[in-house]
Amino acid sequence: MVDVLELQYGCPAYIEGVGTSYGYIPSLGAGIAFCTLFGLSLIIHTIQFIWKRQWWASVFSVGCLVEVIGWAGRTWSAKCPYNGTAFLMQISTLIIAPTFFTAGIYVVLGRFIQILGRESSFLKPSLYLWIFCTCDVISLVVQAIGGGMASGEANTVGGDTATGTHIMVAGIVFQLFSVTIFVICAVDFIRRVMRKNLLQPGSGSILPLFGAMVLSIICIYVRSIYRTIELSEGWDGYLISHESYFIGLDGAMMIVSVAVFNVLHPGWMLNNEKADSYKTERTSVDQPDRYGGPPTHW
């Protein structure tokens, strides 16, 4: 009889009839592909934020690094499907990584509010970072506690992972809730911008970055919904035991959400000179004419 706990150490080959922690053998090709994609994004983001000295944008690089570690764990698991360290390595990092991307988006949205004016949002720009980053940290702490409890029970004979799993799911649900509130705030921001015509036709680099931010938010929200449903089904649920969903709704969503900022990097498109120029343009457009008439864009 095979001792499942002994299989978690070393690198034993797959044994027919003995299941893995994943419910499948992770794809080696997918692991290599996403390690490469996130690795390239990491290098490009690092060059971009150093070149433009936009140090806050390093959060995108950190997020990519965490993604690379997670997908390296899955690549390891493709060759060593029972290794417990590889499994814990990927599950902990791939849950945490998107938090760094959302932090970057909070800053980008705050910069947009500063440029377009306070009337574009009902929250102060700085509050987005403080409120939602705090929610992210709380969520990650709860998930870490639950994940630690569940993994500890999984490594004991007859262990009950239910309590740890429930705590972990609570953290995921709280994260989805906070992301939902942020999405509502972002939708309200977009509504205000469109209704008040705050984005002028000649805004140049502002509009493409605006679109990139919206695309990134959508990808992260889709991924949050998927992960919530996945973990709520338990460790032997349908979604968690079918890798194609993970590749499409987690890996693909995350690479799009961060790579779009490689193409339209905030450090290049929201630097101080362009921001000040846009503010000046808006001010001149919104001023009444010298005869006391309405603003010229009306």
Side-chain angles (χ1 to χ4, degrees):
M1 183 176 181
V2 177
D3 188 340
V4 177
L5 294 181
E6 287 185 1
L7 294 177
Q8 296 181 4
Y9 304 96
C11 188
Y14 177 71
I15 302 173
E16 191 68 35
V18 179
T20 69
S21 297
Y22 299 91
Y24 56 83
I25 301 176
S27 167
L28 178 62
I32 294 174
F34 281 108
C35 279
T36 302
L37 290 172
F38 282 112
L40 288 173
S41 185
L42 164 63
I43 294 170
I44 296 172
H45 269 297
T46 302
I47 293 172
Q48 288 172 323
F49 84 75
I50 292 176
W51 192 335
K52 298 303 295 183
R53 297 186 179 181
Q54 298 286 333
W55 309 115
W56 66 266
S58 62
V59 293
F60 294 118
S61 295
V62 175
C64 285
L65 176 60
V66 178
E67 288 278 1
V68 169
I69 294 172
W71 282 96
R74 292 184 68 89
T75 305
W76 182 4
S77 292
K79 291 295 185 179
C80 309
Y82 299 105
N83 190 283
T85 302
F87 177 77
L88 293 177
M89 174 178 164
Q90 63 86 34
I91 197 170
S92 58
T93 53
L94 295 181
I95 286 178
I96 293 172
T99 304
F100 296 98
F101 304 152
T102 55
I105 293 174
Y106 302 153
V107 177
V108 171
L109 182 56
R111 290 284 288 127
F112 268 121
I113 295 170
Q114 290 175 336
I115 294 171
L116 299 179
R118 186 65 180 81
E119 68 271 25
S120 64
S121 174
F122 64 89
L123 286 179
K124 293 180 179 179
S126 60
L127 289 180
Y128 283 95
L129 191 62
W130 287 106
I131 292 175
F132 294 108
C133 276
T134 299
C135 289
D136 283 343
V137 170
I138 293 173
S139 167
L140 291 177
V141 169
V142 174
Q143 291 177 56
I145 293 173
M149 292 175 61
S151 62
E153 290 294 322
N155 289 329
T156 61
V157 178
D160 183 8
T161 62
T163 301
T165 300
H166 292 158
I167 294 174
M168 193 174 183
V169 170
I172 287 286
V173 171
F174 179 75
Q175 186 177 43
L176 178 63
F177 172 76
S178 66
V179 171
T180 300
I181 297 300
F182 174 72
V183 168
I184 292 173
C185 292
V187 169
D188 177 73
F189 165 77
I190 295 170
R191 181 186 64 82
R192 288 169 180 254
V193 168
M194 298 303 179
R195 183 166 58 87
K196 297 177 183 291
N197 194 28
L198 299 179
L199 279 175
Q200 303 301 327
S203 56
S205 64
I206 301 293
L207 278 171
L209 183 59
F210 185 80
M213 183 188 72
V214 172
L215 175 61
S216 187
I217 290 173
I218 291 173
C219 289
I220 289 175
Y221 195 56
V222 168
R223 180 262 180 192
S224 296
I225 294 173
Y226 159 70
R227 293 292 283 192
T228 301
I229 297 174
E230 175 203 48
L231 289 177
S232 65
E233 290 181 344
W235 297 102
D236 57 351
Y238 182 80
L239 289 179
I240 204 170
S241 59
H242 289 75
E243 188 180 25
S244 58
Y245 292 102
F246 185 83
I247 291 173
L249 298 176
D250 190 297
M253 290 296 103
M254 288 304 93
I255 193 59
V256 171
S257 72
V258 71
V260 68
F261 291 120
N262 286 132
V263 179
L264 302 167
H265 194 271
W268 292 90
M269 312 191 79
L270 281 183
N271 59 50
N272 293 333
E273 292 79 8
K274 289 184 179 180
D276 291 341
S277 174
Y278 184 75
K279 286 180 181 178
T280 301
E281 179 184 333
R282 277 198 58 228
T283 301
S284 64
V285 170
D286 291 340
Q287 288 295 325
D289 65 28
R290 61 180 176 174
Y291 301 107
T296 55
H297 75 279
W298 290 0

